[in-house]
Amino acid sequence: MKFQFDSGLDYQREAIDAVTDLFDGQEICRTNFTVAPLKTDAQMEMSFGQASGDLGVGNRLRLLDEDVLDNLQGIQLRNGLAPSQELSSLDFTVEMETGTGKTYVYLRTLFELNQRYGFTKFIIVVPSVAIKEGVHKSLEMTEPHFQGLYDNTPFEYFVYDSQKLGQVRNFATSDSIQIMVINIDAFQRSFDDPQRADKANIIHRPHDRMMGNKPIEFIQETRPVVIIDEPQSVSNTENRRKAIGQLNPLCTLRYSATHLDKRHMLYRLDSVDAYEKKLVKQIEVSGIEVEDSHNKSYVKLLQVDNRKSPIQAQVELDKLQKGGKVKRQKKWVKAGEDLLDTTGGRSVYDGYIIEDIYCQPGNEYISFTSKPEIVRLGEAIGQVDDDEYKRLQIRKTIEEHLNKELQLTPQGIKVLSLFFIDKVANYREYDQDGQPQPGKYARMFEDEYIRAARKPKYQSLFGEVDVATAATDVQDGYFAVDKKKDASGQGRLKDSRGEGKTQADESAYNTIMKNKEWLLNFDCPLKFIFSHSALKEGWDNPNVFQICTLNETASTLKKRQEIGRGLRLAVNQDGQRVHGFDVNTLTVMANESYEDFAKQLQSEIEDEEGIKFGVVEKHLFASLPVVDANGEAGYLGTEASETVWQHLREQDYIDAKGKVQDRLRQDLKNGDVSLPEEVSEHTDAVTAVLRKVAGRLNIQNKDNRREVKLNKAVYLSDDFKQLWDRIKHKTTYRVDFDANELIEVCAGEIRDNLRVGKARFITRTARLDVTRGGVEAEAVNETAATYDARDFQLPDIVGYLQNATNLTRRTLVEILVRSERLEDFRNNPQKFIEQVLEIIRRQMRLFIVDGIKYQKIGDEHYYCQELFEQEELFGYLNRNMVESSKSVYDHVVYDSDVEADFAAAFERNDEIKVYAKLPPWFCIDTPLGSYNPDWAVMVEQDGQQRLYFVVESKGSLFSDSLRPTEEAKIKCGKAHFQALGNDVEFRWDNEYDNFLHALQ
C-alpha cells in the first residue's frame, strides 16, 4: 500500500502561498560560492580530490526589507491576521492544527520556493528522534508525489549523521534541491573557548574531511531556508536560538499547532477551524465512572487552598441525601471537620476527622486523626480495585475496536488502537532467566480479546482463525531498549522519559515509524499498540481510532498530545484519505470523567492557542481586513471593534463580560444577526468571527449514547394499530369566554395578591485584598434604603396593557378601577404594570382554556403511523433511557424520573399490552402553543376487554404546583381526545399506582 496525497486541498494551498508570497518580486536567483581552500599545504594533500575551485550553491535574497514587509502585511491582511508593523526579523510563523498535514505543507513549500525563486538549500530542524523519523518517513512517502507534481525536479534528502559528513559537503556543493533533517541536539553545543572545543557537537569542530573547516561553515555559506518543526520544543532556550542563528539562515519558517512565540504570523488553522472543516477526526470520550459503590469511606482529594485562613481542601465523598440515597458530591472541608457529620451521618466515615491539610506544591495531602490513610492530590481511598478498573478500560477499548472493524473493514480501512502505559513492567516482565514474559496488562488484553472474539457479533471478523493465537499476534509493545545487556545478552525494555531524544528511544520507533504502510495493511496482523510515554509526541497514525490511557492516576499527558496521536483522517487500502465524521471518530478511553477530560482539553486550547471559548473581547474585530472606498486595504480598527461589541451587548447577544448568549447562537444559526450600521459592509467578516467565537469542540459521552431503534414486533402488531387508529386524528378549536367575568376575576386577584413595594437602594460593601494572586473582593456589609421620590411622569398604563393583551381600553379601565390598587401605581409604576400584566395574562389563559371547544377535522387529517419509521431518536444509557419490550421503540427515552417509573411499570404489568412514549411530532394545537402528551397505552383485562388511554405523567396532581401554561395545555389535551370520541380516556397521573387504580 502506498499513501496517496491530494494536491488540491484549499487550506494547504493557502498555507503554502502564505510563505511563497513573502518573496514576491524576487527573480529566480542562486549564489555560487567557492569552497574554502585548505589552510595549509599539508591539509591540501589530505583532501579527497576536491580542488580549491570547487563551487557550492546557495540561496540568495535580493528583496529589500521594506518589500518583504509589504508582502508580509498583504499576506496577513488576506488571512485575517494582526499586521506586523515592522520587519524585526526574517522569522515567520505558520500555525496548523495537529493532523492537518503540517509536514506535507512545509515540504511542498520547499518545492514551491525552488520553482518560483530558485532556492535549493533547506534544513528541517526537529526536537526529537520521533519527529526526525516521522519527517524522514514523510519525505520517502511523498517523493513520487512531488516528482510528479514538479516535473521530476531532482532533489535529495537525508537525515544528518555526524559520521557521514560527506552528505554535508554534498549539501553545500550540489545544485539540486537539498533537504537536510537534523535534530537540534546535533548542533546546539558550540563553544568559543578552545579548552572546551572537544565538548562541542562534531558539526562545530574542524574536520579533515571538510578540508580543515567546520561542517557548519559549509552550511552557513548556503544561506539555507530553515524549517523549524515544533519550535516550542526546538527554540525554547537561548542556547538553542543561538544555535539556529549559527546556521546563517536566509529565513526561518516555524510550523506548529502550539506556538509559544508567534513571530510574523503568516497563516493560522487552529483546532476550532480544523474541527469545523472536518479536517481532523471528531472526538469521543468514554469516561468510566463508578456508581452505586458506596460501601466504603470514599474520599478523593481534588484541590487544596491556603490563600485564606483557615486552610481548606476540596474533597469528593459520598453524602447521604434526604430520600435515603447516597450521592457522590464535592465539598470544601477544613482541619477538625468530622466527615461523619459532613456526609449526613454515614457510619463508614466514623473516625475520619480531618487532621492536617498540607499544601506544599508537589506534595499536597490530607490526613485523619484516627485513621492511618493519607490521601494525596488526585488520589482517592475507598475506590474499586484499580486492576479491575484497568481491565475494564482494556475491555472497552477492544470492544470499540472490534465495533469499528465491523464498520470500517468493508470500506478497506484497517483499525488501530493505541494504549499509553506508565510502566513497561505492566506490559512486559522478565523471569529469573531474563526471558521476557507478558505483564499484567498483556495478560488482561489476551483474556479480554479472547472473551470478545467469542461473541457471535464478532464472528465475521475471525472466521476460522485461532483466537488464542490472534490475541498474541494482534498486539505488541514499543519501548526504549536499555543499551546495557542482561545475562541473556539482550537489552531490556525500560521506562522512557518520553522526550524521544536518545538512541535508546529510537529503537521504540523503527518498526512503528518506518513501516507505516505495512502497519496499515490488512496483511499486517498488528492492530493494538502498547507504548510508554515515548510515543506522546512525534508519532501518529491516520488509522488510530482508539486511544486508551492505562496510567496509575489521571493522565499526565496533555489532552492535546493524547488525542494528537489519532486526529489525522483515516486512510484506506488504496492509500487514499477517507473524509467524513461517519468514518473519522477518535474514541478516547480516559481514566477520568468525560466532563473533566473535555474541561481540561478546552483549557489547554485556550492556554496554548489563545482562544477564549464563548467570549467576545472588545478588540476582537480590530484586525479584520477591510477595503475602503478608494480600494485601499486596511483594518477595521479598535474604535469600530468596540462599537460592534457595544452593539452586541445592547442586543443581549453577550453579557457584561462578553460571554456569548443563546440569542446570538440562535441568530447565527438563522443568519439574521443584528450588527451596527458602521460595519454593514463587513457583515460577513464580523459574522465569521462570531461563529468562531461561539463554537467549541463537540465532545460527547460516547459510552452512554445510543440510537433508539424501532421495535417492529410492536410497531406492526394489530394491538398497536388499534391504539394508533384511535388517537391519530387531528382537531380544530374555538374559544368563548365572558368578558365581565374576566374583569371581575382579574380585579379581584390584583386587589388581593398584588405586591408592589417602593423602590429601594441596595448598598453592598466589599473589602479588596491585593496580592500577587490578583485583586480579590470579599463582601462584608449590605444595606437597603427605600427610594420614595415621585419625580417621574406616570406612563399610559392603559395603552401599554392594551398593546400587550389586545383587550379593549374599556375592559382594562374597569379592571384597574375595580382593583382599588391604583395608589400602588403611583408608588412604582413599572413594577405595578409588570405584575398587573402578569395577572391579566394568566387569567386570560385560564379563561380561554375554560371556554375552548375542540372538533375533529375529518378522517383524512391524522398523524401517519409511518412517521415512527422516519424518527431518529437518541438517548443516554443510565441517564434518560430504559430498555423496552412493549413499546414501539426498543428503548424509552424519558424526560423525568416520573416518566422513568411509568415506563418500568408498563413493562412489569401483564395487562399493559402495548404502549408508546408519544414522539415530539405528535402535537395538539392549543391557544398556548403545541401540546405533546406523554403516553398512549392499551390495556387488556381478563383477556377480553380492551381499554385505550392517553396518559400525562406529571410530578404532581395539584394544579397550583404546575405552571399555569402547563395546566392549561393539559386541559386542552383532555378536550381534544374527548372530541375524537374513540373510547380513548385521557388520564393525568403523577404515579403509576394512581393509573393502575383507575383500571380496577
Side-chain angles (χ1 to χ4, degrees):
M1 188 193 78
K2 297 292 183 183
F3 279 92
Q4 305 297 315
F5 297 93
D6 187 350
S7 62
L9 298 176
D10 291 341
Y11 75 94
Q12 291 184 345
R13 183 75 245 186
E14 291 169 1
I16 294 166
D17 290 343
V19 174
T20 56
D21 289 351
L22 268 174
F23 308 112
D24 190 32
Q26 159 96 1
E27 73 274 16
I28 293 181
C29 185
R30 293 174 181 161
T31 297
N32 292 339
F33 60 88
T34 301
V35 175
L38 294 173
K39 298 178 180 179
T40 67
D41 292 340
Q43 288 173 319
M44 180 68 76
E45 293 174 0
M46 295 171 59
S47 67
F48 293 85
Q50 296 292 343
S52 60
D54 286 351
L55 293 181
V57 179
N59 302 325
R60 181 171 62 181
L61 181 63
R62 288 190 169 182
L63 287 181
L64 299 175
D65 283 356
E66 50 262 37
D67 296 327
V68 177
L69 179 60
D70 286 342
N71 290 337
L72 170 62
Q73 291 174 338
I75 294 165
Q76 292 169 331
L77 182 68
R78 183 174 73 210
N79 291 326
L81 302 169
S84 299
Q85 300 304 317
E86 60 180 2
L87 193 66
S88 55
S89 66
L90 289 181
D91 291 339
F92 304 100
T93 299
V94 175
E95 182 176 319
M96 295 185 69
E97 172 64 352
T98 301
T100 58
K102 165 176 61 75
T103 305
Y104 173 88
V105 165
Y106 70 62
L107 291 179
R108 186 172 171 186
T109 299
L110 306 187
F111 287 92
E112 289 287 328
L113 289 171
N114 173 262
Q115 186 179 70
R116 291 182 62 173
Y117 310 117
F119 298 159
T120 58
K121 303 304 166 66
F122 305 96
I123 296 179
I124 302 171
V125 184
V126 299
S128 65
V129 172
I131 297 178
K132 179 182 70 175
E133 292 293 342
V135 173
H136 187 251
K137 184 63 180 177
S138 294
L139 281 162
E140 289 180 347
M141 293 190 301
T142 57
E143 183 173 356
H145 172 74
F146 289 139
Q147 286 177 335
L149 206 58
Y150 293 97
D151 299 326
N152 290 313
T153 298
F155 71 97
E156 296 177 321
Y157 57 89
F158 65 98
V159 174
Y160 170 80
D161 185 339
S162 61
Q163 303 302 312
K164 299 177 181 179
L165 296 180
Q167 291 178 324
V168 177
R169 176 65 179 266
N170 183 66
F171 175 86
T173 59
S174 174
D175 61 356
S176 65
I177 297 175
Q178 293 288 311
I179 305 172
M180 177 195 301
V181 183
I182 187 169
N183 193 316
I184 183 65
D185 290 329
F187 68 97
Q188 71 170 333
R189 293 193 302 275
S190 170
F191 302 104
D192 297 328
D193 184 357
Q195 299 298 322
R196 303 183 66 191
D198 61 335
K199 297 184 181 297
N201 293 116
I202 290 177
I203 200 170
H204 292 292
R205 303 182 201 173
H207 204 281
D208 292 343
R209 296 181 185 180
M210 310 301 290
M211 301 183 303
N213 291 332
K214 301 174 184 178
I216 198 168
E217 292 175 346
F218 282 79
I219 295 173
Q220 291 169 342
E221 290 292 335
T222 68
R223 296 298 311 281
V225 173
V226 174
I227 308 293
I228 303 181
D229 195 329
E230 306 297 349
Q232 73 277 7
S233 299
V234 170
S235 56
N236 56 344
T237 67
E238 183 60 33
N239 188 48
R240 289 183 167 189
R241 288 189 287 271
K242 180 180 177 181
I244 293 170
Q246 288 183 326
L247 296 175
N248 192 27
L250 176 82
C251 67
T252 303
L253 306 175
R254 304 146 57 84
Y255 289 81
S256 177
T258 54
H259 291 278
L260 296 179
D261 184 8
K262 301 181 181 182
R263 307 177 193 175
H264 300 319
M265 181 75 75
L266 295 172
Y267 179 78
R268 186 179 192 188
L269 179 74
D270 62 32
S271 56
V272 177
D273 295 328
Y275 191 84
E276 288 179 345
K277 295 177 181 180
K278 298 185 178 181
L279 304 178
V280 294
K281 290 190 182 84
Q282 67 179 347
I283 305 164
E284 293 179 338
V285 178
S286 289
I288 300 176
E289 301 177 74
V290 181
E291 293 185 356
D292 299 327
S293 179
H294 306 302
N295 300 312
K296 295 187 291 184
S297 50
Y298 172 82
V299 181
K300 182 176 183 180
L301 179 57
L302 301 176
Q303 57 179 313
V304 295
D305 185 0
N306 62 356
R307 292 175 298 175
K308 298 179 181 179
S309 182
I311 296 173
Q312 291 183 306
Q314 188 185 42
V315 298
E316 188 177 56
L317 37 71
D318 297 334
K319 190 174 186 300
L320 186 66
Q321 307 298 300
K322 288 184 178 180
K325 293 183 178 181
V326 173
K327 184 178 180 181
R328 189 153 291 176
Q329 292 183 335
K330 298 176 181 178
K331 300 285 290 184
W332 283 97
V333 297
K334 57 184 180 295
E337 185 162 343
D338 190 341
L339 297 188
L340 178 66
D341 297 331
T342 305
T343 58
R346 295 201 69 218
S347 59
V348 293
Y349 287 94
D350 188 16
Y352 281 91
I353 301 173
I354 304 294
E355 177 186 46
D356 190 17
I357 300 175
Y358 196 62
C359 300
Q360 182 185 37
N363 194 31
E364 302 93 336
Y365 68 82
I366 59 173
S367 60
F368 308 97
T369 58
S370 304
K371 298 292 179 179
E373 294 98 333
I374 290 179
V375 186
R376 298 189 180 277
L377 187 65
E379 297 180 356
I381 59 173
Q383 294 193 101
V384 296
D385 181 75
D386 190 63
D387 280 353
E388 288 303 309
Y389 189 95
K390 298 296 187 290
R391 179 180 288 274
L392 183 57
Q393 283 186 280
I394 292 172
R395 180 185 303 165
K396 298 298 293 181
T397 303
I398 292 172
E399 290 177 356
E400 183 61 29
H401 180 107
L402 296 178
N403 289 335
K404 293 264 180 68
E405 283 195 349
L406 288 174
Q407 174 194 357
L408 301 180
T409 299
Q411 301 181 47
I413 300 172
K414 182 179 176 182
V415 178
L416 300 175
S417 294
L418 176 62
F419 292 89
F420 285 117
I421 65 176
D422 53 3
K423 292 181 182 178
V424 172
N426 284 336
Y427 182 77
R428 193 162 292 162
E429 301 173 332
Y430 292 87
D431 60 20
Q432 293 180 347
D433 298 326
Q435 297 301 313
Q437 301 294 328
K440 65 177 182 179
Y441 290 161
R443 295 193 298 270
M444 288 178 189
F445 176 87
E446 292 184 11
D447 292 344
E448 294 302 327
Y449 191 81
I450 292 172
R451 177 179 178 273
R454 289 173 176 165
K455 292 184 177 180
K457 67 181 293 188
Y458 300 129
Q459 286 304 300
S460 62
L461 298 175
F462 295 96
E464 302 300 323
V465 174
D466 182 355
V467 174
T469 302
T472 301
D473 293 342
V474 298
Q475 55 155 322
D476 205 352
Y478 292 87
F479 312 104
V481 178
D482 199 324
K483 289 185 288 186
K484 296 180 181 179
K485 306 295 184 180
D486 58 21
S488 64
Q490 300 293 321
R492 291 198 178 193
L493 303 177
K494 68 173 188 175
D495 294 338
S496 168
R497 290 167 55 192
E499 297 174 355
K501 297 176 181 179
T502 68
Q503 190 172 7
D505 286 331
E506 193 160 359
S507 65
Y509 305 118
N510 286 338
T511 300
I512 203 167
M513 294 295 292
K514 294 182 177 179
N515 296 316
K516 266 191 177 181
E517 296 98 328
W518 171 241
L519 188 58
L520 292 172
N521 196 298
F522 282 141
D523 293 334
C524 173
L526 178 60
K527 299 177 182 179
F528 296 87
I529 300 161
F530 286 80
S531 178
H532 194 259
S533 56
L535 286 191
K536 74 180 184 181
E537 286 184 343
W539 183 87
D540 59 20
N541 190 290
N543 286 22
V544 168
F545 287 92
Q546 288 74 232
I547 294 176
C548 180
T549 306
L550 295 174
N551 290 343
E552 298 295 338
T553 57
S555 174
T556 57
L557 290 179
K558 284 191 172 183
K559 306 308 176 191
R560 282 172 58 75
Q561 291 174 334
E562 193 169 348
I563 66 173
R565 303 316 104 217
L567 278 183
R568 202 175 299 274
L569 298 182
V571 173
N572 62 21
Q573 294 300 289
D574 295 324
Q576 298 173 329
R577 296 282 178 192
V578 182
H579 298 272
F581 283 168
D582 55 333
V583 167
N584 292 287
T585 298
L586 174 66
T587 303
V588 180
M589 300 294 174
N591 52 2
E592 58 191 312
S593 71
Y594 76 92
E595 293 97 340
D596 289 343
F597 187 99
K599 181 180 179 181
Q600 181 61 29
L601 177 60
Q602 176 172 315
S603 176
E604 289 177 13
I605 292 172
E606 290 174 332
D607 292 342
E608 295 175 358
E609 299 186 49
I611 297 174
K612 292 185 178 180
F613 287 99
V615 175
V616 178
E617 297 180 285
K618 290 185 178 181
H619 64 272
L620 181 63
F621 312 99
S623 61
L624 282 178
V626 298
V627 178
D628 63 21
N630 299 321
E632 295 292 328
Y635 298 93
L636 194 61
T638 301
E639 185 177 343
S641 181
E642 291 184 0
T643 299
V644 174
W645 190 94
Q646 189 60 42
H647 181 85
L648 297 174
R649 181 75 185 93
E650 292 170 356
Q651 296 295 315
D652 291 329
Y653 284 157
I654 57 177
D655 65 14
K657 295 183 178 180
K659 186 74 173 177
V660 171
Q661 305 298 295
D662 288 340
R663 182 177 178 182
L664 175 59
R665 296 188 179 97
Q666 187 63 48
D667 283 1
L668 284 169
K669 180 179 179 181
N670 297 335
D672 56 1
V673 175
S674 171
L675 294 174
E677 183 65 28
E678 293 90 329
V679 297
S680 59
E681 297 181 3
H682 315 299
T683 297
D684 290 345
V686 173
T687 302
V689 173
L690 288 173
R691 289 185 186 279
K692 185 175 180 179
V693 172
R696 60 182 299 167
L697 292 177
N698 182 21
I699 298 180
Q700 298 292 337
N701 187 351
K702 189 268 164 193
D703 256 2
N704 291 336
R705 191 171 189 263
R706 293 288 188 277
E707 180 179 3
V708 178
K709 298 180 180 179
L710 202 64
N711 184 347
K712 291 197 173 181
V714 173
Y715 172 72
L716 297 176
S717 68
D718 288 336
D719 288 341
F720 183 74
K721 185 176 186 303
Q722 292 178 33
L723 173 62
W724 191 252
D725 285 343
R726 282 170 167 76
I727 68 171
K728 68 183 181 180
H729 294 283
K730 299 181 180 180
T731 59
T732 59
Y733 65 85
R734 61 184 178 84
V735 176
D736 295 318
F737 67 90
D738 187 335
N740 288 329
E741 187 176 354
L742 175 65
I743 293 172
E744 189 60 36
V745 171
C746 288
E749 184 170 352
I750 294 171
R751 180 173 55 252
D752 298 334
N753 297 324
L754 193 69
R755 298 291 183 269
V756 178
K758 296 180 180 179
R760 296 187 305 161
F761 284 134
I762 304 295
T763 303
R764 295 184 176 93
T765 305
R767 182 176 294 122
L768 296 183
D769 184 21
V770 182
T771 69
R772 292 188 180 274
V775 179
E776 296 183 358
E778 180 181 359
V780 295
N781 190 29
E782 180 177 306
T783 59
T786 299
Y787 180 58
D788 199 20
R790 298 197 181 189
D791 55 346
F792 46 74
Q793 186 176 357
L794 296 175
D796 179 8
I797 182 174
V798 176
Y800 182 92
L801 293 175
Q802 185 180 26
N803 291 333
T805 63
N806 289 322
L807 294 176
T808 65
R809 292 183 67 88
R810 174 186 171 278
T811 297
L812 291 168
V813 169
E814 283 290 320
I815 291 174
L816 294 172
V817 172
R818 293 190 193 182
S819 72
E820 301 176 356
R821 296 294 299 271
L822 284 175
E823 183 61 29
D824 293 289
F825 172 61
R826 295 184 177 90
N827 289 335
N828 194 331
Q830 185 59 41
K831 191 73 172 179
F832 183 93
I833 290 174
E834 290 172 358
Q835 290 198 17
V836 166
L837 178 59
E838 181 181 354
I839 289 171
I840 293 175
R841 280 178 170 171
R842 180 170 65 249
Q843 291 300 332
M844 285 181 64
R845 285 194 294 264
L846 297 176
F847 266 73
I848 288 173
V849 171
D850 287 342
I852 198 166
K853 302 293 182 183
Y854 278 86
Q855 182 177 357
K856 182 178 175 182
I857 298 177
D859 292 336
E860 67 277 12
H861 296 282
Y862 59 88
Y863 289 105
C864 296
Q865 185 173 326
E866 289 76 12
L867 288 172
F868 282 92
E869 299 183 60
Q870 302 172 16
E871 176 82 348
E872 280 194 352
L873 188 60
F874 293 88
Y876 287 85
L877 293 176
N878 303 322
R879 185 187 300 180
N880 72 337
M881 64 188 298
V882 293
E883 192 171 359
S884 170
S885 62
K886 298 180 182 180
S887 171
V888 71
Y889 290 114
D890 63 358
H891 286 79
V892 174
V893 179
Y894 56 85
D895 298 324
S896 67
D897 291 340
V898 173
E899 289 185 1
D901 293 340
F902 265 77
F906 287 152
E907 292 293 322
R908 292 193 303 266
N909 194 324
D910 291 338
E911 291 187 342
I912 307 296
K913 294 304 177 183
V914 296
Y915 71 96
K917 178 77 169 61
L918 291 171
W921 47 260
F922 186 90
C923 294
I924 298 169
D925 289 334
T926 81
L928 312 172
S930 296
Y931 166 58
N932 172 224
D934 288 332
W935 310 96
V937 185
M938 193 196 83
V939 180
E940 186 178 88
Q941 293 181 332
D942 300 324
Q944 295 180 348
Q945 184 181 8
R946 292 188 172 184
L947 305 174
Y948 303 92
F949 295 90
V950 172
V951 182
E952 179 66 37
S953 51
K954 289 294 180 188
S956 174
L957 292 179
F958 301 101
S959 59
D960 60 357
S961 67
L962 294 177
R963 292 192 300 269
T965 300
E966 286 182 333
E967 180 190 359
K969 284 185 176 183
I970 291 172
K971 290 181 179 179
C972 289
K974 185 173 184 178
H976 162 86
F977 287 104
Q978 287 175 343
L980 295 183
N982 288 328
D983 299 324
V984 176
E985 182 179 350
F986 183 91
R987 295 284 308 172
W988 174 11
D989 293 301
N990 67 328
E991 293 181 359
Y992 178 77
D993 288 343
N994 294 334
F995 172 70
L996 187 65
H997 180 72
L999 305 181
Q1000 298 173 351

